Amino acid sequence: GFLDVAGHVAGADAEPSEEGITDWADVSSFAMSSIKWALANGVISGVDNLDGTRSLCPHDSASRAQMAKIILNVEAMRG
């Protein structure tokens, strides 16, 4: 997916904190490394829940605004 390509383009590698993420079990195994890369590098941050936790919402569609923010975050990493 998009995050796979973005991760390869940016050439970044890091492990995120899984603390506070409520829906790790919903992330498909093929997407897990890309999601972890994106979280660890500030490309995505998840959605804030009212109880102070965050959700990744992996089965939801990204809005145009969310995709634009992801692209800008990847470009900012590249310098």
Side-chain angles (χ1 to χ4, degrees):
F2 178 79
L3 291 177
D4 286 321
V5 173
H8 291 294
V9 168
D13 188 28
E15 280 293 315
S17 168
E18 297 182 18
E19 187 176 327
I21 301 288
T22 61
D23 55 355
W24 276 113
D26 295 335
V27 177
S28 298
S29 59
F30 75 88
M32 186 63 74
S33 63
S34 299
I35 295 291
K36 285 184 174 185
W37 168 83
L39 280 167
N41 290 284
V43 173
I44 63 172
S45 59
V47 177
D48 292 328
N49 299 318
L50 294 176
D51 63 0
T53 61
R54 289 179 295 143
S55 295
L56 299 172
C57 306
H59 300 292
D60 292 355
S61 297
S63 70
R64 202 178 306 176
Q66 289 169 323
M67 284 303 298
K69 181 65 175 163
I70 290 169
I71 292 167
L72 288 173
N73 289 346
V74 170
E75 284 299 311
M77 283 181 55
R78 292 181 59 193

